[in-house]
Amino acid sequence: MVSRPHHALVWLALVWLAAALASGLLVSVAQAQPVKVDNIKEIFAKLYGCWKPPPLSLANPIDITVVVSFNRAGEILGHPRISYESGQATDNDRLLYRVAVMEALQRCTPMPFTDAMAGAIAGRPLAIQFHNKKPPPQPTEKRAWLHQKIL
C-alpha cells in the first residue's frame, strides 16, 4: 500500500514533468516561427547573420556591395546587382565572393517582414555591404632602425 505523502510526491512530480514538457513544446513552437523583421537595421543584421565569406585558403578578403529589393512577402524582387568590389580583387576572388553573397541572400529569404515593414520596404533598393576582415599587411622589407636593440 502506498502512503499518502508518497502519493502526493508522485502526483507533484507528474505535474512538474507535464509543465516541463509543455514549456518545452512552447519553446520549440516559438523557435519554429521566425522573428519578424521590423526595421532596416534588423534587415541588415539578418543578412549579415547569413553571410559566410569564402575561406582564406580559396580567396583573398575583399569588400563587396550588392543592391537588392524585396517584395511585400520578403522575397527578392528582380535580380540582385553587385555594385562594388574591392579594386585589388582577382577574378577568382570576385567570383567566389559573388557566389557567397547570393548564397547569403538565398539563406535569408524570404525575409519575415512585419506588415508595416513589408509596406515600407517593398520595391525599395537596399545597398548591402559585406566586409571581410583583411589580414594586416605583411612588411616587404625589414628596417633595423625600427627594432629596439639593447646594447
Side-chain angles (χ1 to χ4, degrees):
M1 180 165 180
V2 177
S3 66
R4 273 244 190 257
H6 184 266
H7 180 64
L9 287 176
V10 170
W11 183 80
L12 185 61
L14 287 173
V15 169
W16 180 83
L17 180 62
L21 288 173
S23 69
L25 289 174
L26 291 176
V27 168
S28 66
V29 168
Q31 289 174 348
Q33 294 187 5
V35 176
K36 295 285 188 172
V37 174
D38 191 42
N39 58 53
I40 291 177
K41 184 177 179 181
E42 291 175 5
I43 293 172
F44 284 87
K46 187 154 180 74
L47 288 169
Y48 294 147
C50 294
W51 169 241
K52 294 179 184 174
L56 291 174
S57 61
L58 296 178
N60 294 313
I62 68 169
D63 294 337
I64 188 167
T65 302
V66 63
V67 177
V68 65
S69 298
F70 296 96
N71 64 17
R72 289 177 146 279
E75 298 162 342
I76 294 173
L77 185 63
H79 298 286
R81 181 178 54 87
I82 302 297
S83 64
Y84 172 80
E85 294 167 317
S86 298
Q88 78 279 8
T90 66
D91 288 342
N92 181 60
D93 297 340
R94 292 176 205 277
L95 178 64
L96 291 174
Y97 272 82
R98 287 177 185 183
V99 169
V101 166
M102 296 309 156
E103 287 175 346
L105 292 172
Q106 286 178 343
R107 277 191 286 278
C108 276
T109 54
M111 189 75 61
F113 293 132
T114 61
D115 290 339
M117 188 62 187
I121 200 68
R124 297 182 187 271
L126 293 174
I128 301 145
Q129 299 174 349
F130 292 95
H131 302 285
N132 197 3
K133 294 182 179 165
K134 296 178 179 151
Q138 298 296 320
T140 55
E141 65 180 68
K142 293 184 179 183
R143 296 182 179 157
W145 62 85
L146 293 179
H147 300 297
Q148 235 180 9
K149 197 175 197 181
I150 299 174
L151 300 173

